[in-house]
Amino acid sequence: MLNYLWGAMLLLGIVYGAFNGRLPEITAAALDSAKEAVTLCITMTGVMALWVGLMEIARKSGVIGRATKKIQPFISFMFPGLPREHKAREYITTNIIANVFGLGWAATPAGLKAMEALKELEEERKTHPVGGRRAAPKGTASNEMCTFLILNISSLQLIPVNIIAYRSQYGSVNPAAVIAPSIAATLLSAAAAVIFCKVMEGRQSVWKP
Amino acid sequence: METVIQILLYISDMLVPFLILYVVAHGLLVRRPVYDDFVKGARDGFKTVFQIMPTLVGLMVAVGILRASGFLDFLSETLGNVTELVHFPSELVPLTIVRMFSASAATGLALDIFKQYGTDSYLGLATSILMGCTETIFYTMSVYFMTAKVKKTRYTLAGALLATFVGVAASIVLAGMMK
């Protein structure tokens, strides 16, 4: 995906610029942007190191673990057909917590594991109903998969660390000013996702035993 | 509305110091070597940034070229006539579309908006909030569903688009309230 997107951006820019006689500006922009990307990364490294370091303390001292326990009622509400002891539950929880605390790189592996575990859940459902549900047809997303992805994409996040780092790099008077509005926006989009999933799940009764 | 924004700004100012205080105090209470843990995590943070550095170089160059060629302005002006009708700022159109496909390409466009209009302008604030409450729908869906070998994704895309739409709308309204 990114190969085409990136290629298209470059080709489009150069061809369009050539027709407008802006090739000198394009040369300057290419060189300046490359330099700027590195400067930006160096600024960002400080903020990221601070944040990940802090989160490491949170993880080791059990703050993250406790947050994981606290959201279990929410997980049960969103995934009523998922048994309490199923391993998909653990991965889903890890993924959501990692997203909330801005640990994106920890979120993706757990998310992929969650999808694998949900697939295994479907295999189990082929032999006997689990959580009051039969397996979805082959190659079709189960309700749990749909809910998990929609929740993931609604992008619950406590602190948008990257954005704050970028804002401070580009001279914001108060880089952190967007934290609470971002939380408000993310809560709204997550609420929309939750309502949507609940409505759609209610309509899907085909695979009930 | 004024008071809502005041409260939101107040929370924004409080949250980072509060989180640091809470995490460190909790770590000390359960007798963790907090400084050692911090340094270990910080080292991981370093690695992460250095891993994304090449992608950022590639994408900022691409966006820089698009900007210099005049294409981004052309695109905003063209789409602006339509989006103005629903009070959607045309400058955010390319960002909103690209955001659904690639996080790093969207970052390139977001930084361009910061440079062009300033981080604390209406557009800068809307961009900041928008980046935090939206996700790369198509990328995430393709990777996650590939893992589960799923082809029929049922209502996932509709739900994802709905969540994104609400997030974008909220960003624009909230940014408007802050200005």
Side-chain angles (χ1 to χ4, degrees), chain B residues 42-64:
Chain B
R43 193 167 288 134
D44 291 341
F46 255 80
K47 281 186 205 143
T48 313
V49 176
F50 274 84
Q51 269 162 10
I52 66 163
M53 193 135 100
T55 55
L56 210 57
V57 171
L59 286 154
M60 284 186 75
V61 168
V63 174

Side-chain angles (χ1 to χ4, degrees), chain A residues 1-2 5-6 8-10 12-14 16-17 20 22 25-26 29-30 33-34 36-38 40-42 44-46 48-63 66 95 99 101 105 107-113 115-116 119 136 138-150 152-155 157-160 163-164 166-168 170-186 188-190 192-193 196-197 200-201 204 207, chain B residues 5 7-9 11-13 15-16 19-20 22-24 26-27 30 32 34-35 37-46 48-50 52-53 55-74 98-99 101-102 104-105 107 109-111 114-115 118-120 124-125 127-145 147-164 166-167 170-171 174 178:
Chain A
M1 169 95 62
L2 201 48
L5 191 60
W6 189 72
M9 282 163 91
L10 283 174
L12 199 64
I14 293 172
Y16 190 86
N20 285 303
R22 304 189 66 152
E25 285 91 338
I26 287 184
S33 304
E36 200 183 330
V38 177
L40 178 70
C41 272
I42 289 170
M44 236 184 76
T45 313
M48 285 301 277
L50 168 67
W51 184 252
V52 183
L54 200 65
M55 282 302 120
E56 183 72 12
I57 303 178
R59 200 170 63 82
K60 290 268 176 66
S61 67
V63 174
R66 206 174 328 144
N95 175 269
N99 272 329
F101 286 99
W105 56 95
T108 308
L112 296 180
K113 283 275 179 201
M115 289 305 274
E116 277 172 17
K119 184 169 180 287
K138 193 177 173 359
T140 303
S142 64
N143 282 2
E144 282 85 3
M145 291 178 186
C146 295
T147 303
F148 176 55
L149 262 161
I150 294 172
N152 191 302
I153 287 168
S154 82
S155 181
Q157 196 180 22
L158 188 58
I159 296 186
I163 286 298
I164 294 171
Y166 296 141
R167 285 172 57 80
S168 81
Y170 285 100
S172 171
V173 182
N174 186 357
V178 295
I179 294 179
S182 294
I183 295 176
T186 204
L188 284 172
S189 73
F196 181 84
C197 290
M200 292 311 279
E201 197 167 61
Q204 178 71 57
W207 303 320
Chain B
I5 288 303
I7 293 167
L8 285 183
L9 284 175
I11 296 173
S12 295
D13 288 338
L15 204 53
V16 171
L19 261 172
I20 297 178
Y22 179 79
V23 168
V24 175
H26 186 269
V30 299
R32 285 294 311 173
V34 283
Y35 184 64
D37 286 347
F38 175 80
V39 172
K40 188 191 165 292
R43 193 167 288 134
D44 291 341
F46 255 80
T48 313
V49 176
F50 274 84
I52 66 163
M53 193 135 100
T55 55
L56 210 57
V57 171
L59 286 154
M60 284 186 75
V61 168
V63 174
I65 287 177
L66 267 187
R67 161 68 58 195
S69 73
F71 182 78
L72 282 183
D73 295 327
F74 164 74
V98 169
R99 182 74 180 106
F101 293 91
S102 157
S104 36
T107 303
L109 286 171
L111 298 178
F114 287 164
K115 270 188 285 180
T119 51
D120 300 326
L125 290 168
T127 300
S128 309
I129 304 172
L130 191 150
M131 288 293 285
C133 72
T134 47
E135 185 51 70
T136 46
I137 301 185
F138 296 101
Y139 172 79
T140 310
M141 273 183 66
S142 60
V143 174
Y144 277 43
F145 276 131
T147 310
K149 298 194 175 60
V150 163
K151 293 230 166 58
K152 288 194 184 129
T153 60
R154 295 170 62 212
Y155 54 84
T156 311
L157 183 61
L161 286 172
L162 174 74
T164 304
V166 172
S171 310
L174 283 163
M178 286 172 81

Side-chain angles (χ1 to χ4, degrees), chain A residues 125-145:
Chain A
R125 280 176 175 163
K126 274 182 186 149
T127 52
H128 57 280
V130 181
R133 284 179 192 169
R134 283 191 206 284
K138 193 177 173 359
T140 303
S142 64
N143 282 2
E144 282 85 3
M145 291 178 186

